[in-house]
Amino acid sequence: MQLNDSTLLQTQGFINGQWRDAAGGKTFDVTNPATGEVLAKVADMGADETREAIAIAEKAQIEWRARTAKERCDILERWYDLMMEAKEDLAILMTAEQGKPLAESRGEVNYGASFLKWFSEEGKRVYGDIIPQTPDRRGLVIKQPIGVVAAVTPWNFPNAMITRKVAPGLAVGCTVVLKPAAETPLSALAIAELGKRAGLPDGVFNIITGLDAPAIGGEMTASPIVRKVTFTGSTPVGKLLMKQCADTVKRTSMELGGNAPVIVFDDADLDKAVDGAIAAKYRNSGQTCICSNRMLVQAGIYDAFVEKFAEKVKNFNVGNGLQEGTTHGPLITTKAVQGVDEKVKAAVADGAKVVIGGKPGSQGDHFYEPTVLTNVNSSMRVFREEIFGPVAPVFKFDTEQDAIDMANDTEFGLASYMYTQDMGRIFRVSEALEYGMVGVNETGISSEVIPFGGVKESGQGREGSKYGLDDFLETKYICIGGI
Ligand code: SIN
C-alpha cells in the first residue's frame, strides 16, 4: 500500500481524541482478501475500552450539544473537504482491506463523504412546532439530540456506512462510539484521523477496534448511558442487538439483510434491464444488502435476457482490486466463498443449470466465479436466502401478479427493482411491493439525498435524506400555560 499521506494508516483505537493501544497491547491482523497479505496489526479492544469510551462520549456530549448547529456543521463540512482531498489514499486503504476494485472504492469515498456534506447542511434545519391549544396556553415541540450513540458498521462498505450514521448523529449534537467491522478497521481509523484534523473535539467520536464483537456489542447494548444503537449488518445479529437493547429501552436503527428482486417485464427495454441488473447484482462482487438477489424475468423475454446477461458477465475481469483493469474483486473471507458455493451446489443438485461460472475462482481462495443460474425455483436457497456473492439466479414468471407474489415471498424487504415501460404497471407494482425502496428502470438508487432503509426483517429506520436526522432526535413537548 503506497499512501501519499502515511499518517492515514492508523492501527490503534481512538478514544477521547487519542490513539490508544488495547489493554495488554493485544492486536489482530487485518489482511488483504485478494492476496492474504497482512496489512496491519490493529488494537484488539474489548468491553473495558468500550465502557471507557462510552463514559467519555457522555462527558463530551455536554459541550458538543451546547454548540450551535452551525458550529457543529462547519466541522462536518471541513471533514468532507479533507475526505475529498484524501480520496485516493482512502480508496487504496479500502481496496486493500476490503477487496473491491479501486474505481468502486473511489466511488464509495465520494458516497461516504457526501453524507458529511449533506448533514452539514441538513443539520441546521432541525425545527420544532408551536401547537395552538386553549387561549391561555401553547404547546411547544422541540427536537433534542438523543444522547450517546453506539454504531456498529459492516465490512462491505467500510467508509459510507460509517458516515451515513455518524454525520447525522454528530450534526444534531449526539456523540458516537463506533465499532467498525474487524475485517475493515483501517478505513474507519483514517476517517477518524481526518475528523480530528477537521476539528472534532475530543471524545465526540470514538472508535473501538476489536475482534470480540459480542463483548463490545454487549457493553454497548447493556450500558444505560447509550441511548441509541445503530447497526448495519445481518438480520440475525440485528435481532440479537434489538433484544439486548430492550432492557434499557434504547432506540435502534437497523439496516439488515435483503433479498432484492429485479423484475423484468416483457415490455422492458432489454439492454437497460440487463445493464441495471448486472450493476446491482455484481457491485462489490455481490456483497451488498441491496444487491439484486433474484432476477425475476417474464416468460416472453426470458431467453433473450439470459443470453445478453451471461454474455456481459463473461467479460468481467476478476482479480486484485488494486490492479488496473480489475472489474470485480474477491469475497471478504474463505467462509464467504464456501457459503456461496454451498448455495450454488444445493441449487444444482435440485436441477439448476449453470450458464456460466458455478465454482470458486482460480485467482485465490477468496474468489468465486461470476455465476448465472437458470432452471431455478422458489424452493431453492438461492431464492430464499441472501446470497452475498456474485451469483445471479434467473427465475421465470408469467403474469404481473406472479411477479409481485414471487417478489414478496420473503421475510426481507429492503430494495427491489423493476423494468417496464407501462406507467400503470409502475404504480401498481411499486405500491404492491413490500420493500422500503423500489427502483423503476434504475438500480443505482443510493445517494445521500434518499431515505435508505427496509421493512419486514430488513430493518427499521431510515438513513440519509432529511429523514436520516429523525432517529438521532428526541421530540419534547413543552406546555406553556398562563398566557
Ligand atoms: C448496503 O449494502 O448495505 C449499502 C448499499 C448502499 O448504500 O448503496
Side-chain angles (χ1 to χ4, degrees):
M1 261 191 313
Q2 206 66 53
L3 302 181
N4 285 321
D5 176 357
S6 59
T7 61
L8 288 178
L9 177 56
Q10 296 289 341
T11 57
Q12 293 163 295
F14 187 67
I15 301 176
N16 205 18
Q18 309 298 317
W19 295 108
R20 285 268 307 273
D21 284 330
K26 265 190 353 182
T27 61
F28 63 97
D29 290 347
V30 177
T31 54
N32 180 333
T35 62
E37 176 201 357
V38 175
L39 300 167
K41 292 192 174 298
V42 171
D44 189 5
M45 297 176 151
D48 290 346
E49 293 92 339
T50 309
R51 199 174 315 119
E52 184 191 341
I54 291 170
I56 280 161
E58 184 185 31
K59 240 169 100 190
Q61 209 223 342
I62 298 167
E63 192 268 337
W64 182 243
R65 66 182 287 166
R67 293 195 183 198
T68 63
K70 183 173 183 323
E71 283 173 314
R72 290 192 297 264
C73 290
D74 282 351
I75 295 175
L76 292 188
E77 201 173 347
R78 274 201 295 281
W79 202 357
Y80 164 83
D81 289 338
L82 293 176
M83 203 184 265
M84 294 309 284
E85 280 166 28
K87 179 154 95 180
E88 197 58 20
D89 281 348
L90 294 174
I92 290 169
L93 274 174
M94 191 189 306
T95 294
E97 65 178 348
Q98 201 277 340
K100 63 180 73 177
L102 260 183
E104 266 191 55
S105 293
R106 289 186 192 111
E108 188 185 332
V109 178
N110 288 338
Y111 181 41
S114 74
F115 291 106
L116 295 174
K117 180 82 169 160
W118 172 262
F119 285 110
S120 77
E121 294 153 352
E122 207 60 24
K124 294 175 220 158
R125 302 190 185 105
V126 176
Y127 304 125
D129 293 301
I130 298 178
I131 303 176
Q133 294 183 322
T134 53
D136 65 338
R137 59 152 72 184
R138 301 288 182 277
L140 255 55
V141 177
I142 63 167
K143 302 280 177 83
Q144 293 183 305
I146 194 161
V148 175
V149 172
V152 180
T153 52
W155 49 261
N156 61 342
F157 287 87
N159 179 310
M161 297 305 99
I162 294 175
T163 51
R164 192 157 79 181
K165 295 178 189 310
V166 170
L170 296 188
V172 300
C174 297
T175 51
V176 178
V177 178
L178 168 79
K179 185 214 172 292
E183 292 83 356
T184 57
L186 303 180
S187 296
L189 297 172
I191 290 172
E193 169 63 23
L194 294 172
K196 191 173 158 79
R197 290 182 201 172
L200 277 181
D202 294 348
V204 160
F205 177 44
N206 307 277
I207 298 188
I208 299 294
T209 48
L211 284 179
D212 194 347
I216 298 168
E219 193 61 40
M220 287 172 158
T221 50
S223 167
I225 298 169
V226 172
R227 290 316 316 146
K228 176 190 167 75
V229 170
T230 170
F231 171 69
T232 295
S234 74
T235 294
V237 174
K239 286 180 184 176
L240 179 69
L241 291 172
M242 285 172 81
K243 282 183 193 147
Q244 292 179 182
C245 285
D247 277 345
T248 45
V249 194
K250 290 188 207 321
R251 188 93 67 85
T252 56
S253 296
M254 296 283 149
E255 203 267 272
L256 308 177
N259 186 357
V262 180
I263 306 170
V264 182
F265 288 99
D266 282 346
D267 67 351
D269 178 324
L270 182 59
D271 290 325
K272 278 205 180 119
V274 167
D275 287 346
I278 285 194
K281 174 68 251 181
Y282 296 103
R283 174 182 177 215
N284 202 7
S285 291
Q287 305 171 106
T288 81
C289 305
I290 58 168
C291 253
S292 46
N293 210 48
R294 299 169 293 159
M295 318 295 136
L296 310 182
V297 184
Q298 202 160 12
I301 205 174
Y302 186 90
D303 291 341
F305 178 90
V306 170
E307 194 185 325
K308 280 202 174 206
F309 190 95
E311 200 49 47
K312 296 226 165 179
V313 172
K314 255 186 220 154
N315 294 325
F316 287 178
N317 188 7
V318 179
N320 182 343
L322 288 171
Q323 271 159 17
E324 199 59 45
T326 296
T327 57
H328 294 81
L331 300 192
I332 192 72
T333 55
T334 50
K335 198 166 155 231
V337 174
Q338 212 181 322
V340 171
D341 198 39
E342 277 167 14
K343 289 185 193 94
V344 171
K345 282 203 173 110
V348 171
D350 285 342
K353 184 172 162 253
V354 176
V355 180
I356 181 170
K359 56 183 190 307
S362 55
Q363 299 84 350
D365 60 4
H366 283 59
F367 288 87
Y368 201 83
E369 289 186 354
T371 296
V372 180
L373 301 176
T374 55
N375 206 29
V376 279
N377 64 57
S378 62
S379 66
M380 293 176 174
R381 288 180 64 192
V382 289
F383 183 95
R384 310 231 68 88
E385 296 174 25
E386 191 172 30
I387 300 171
F388 238 62
V391 176
V394 192
F395 302 85
K396 198 182 279 185
F397 70 87
D398 290 315
T399 67
E400 186 178 299
Q401 192 56 47
D402 290 343
I404 294 168
D405 292 344
M406 284 169 84
N408 289 343
D409 183 14
T410 169
E411 68 273 27
F412 296 107
L414 189 58
S416 56
Y417 311 94
M418 87 174 102
Y419 281 83
T420 178
Q421 311 283 349
D422 179 333
M423 190 52 84
R425 172 175 276 162
I426 288 173
F427 279 94
R428 281 192 306 275
V429 178
S430 302
E431 288 164 15
L433 287 171
E434 296 165 354
Y435 287 83
M437 298 175 285
V438 182
V440 179
N441 297 323
E442 180 59 77
T443 58
I445 58 172
S446 301
S447 91
E448 77 282 18
V449 307
I450 63 106
F452 189 104
V455 300
K456 293 161 80 176
E457 293 188 23
S458 286
Q460 49 174 233
R462 292 294 178 270
E463 295 187 330
S465 79
K466 65 175 181 173
Y467 305 103
L469 292 177
D470 294 344
D471 278 346
F472 295 89
L473 291 165
E474 286 289 9
T475 300
K476 182 181 279 179
Y477 162 56
I478 303 169
C479 178
I480 303 178
I483 291 173

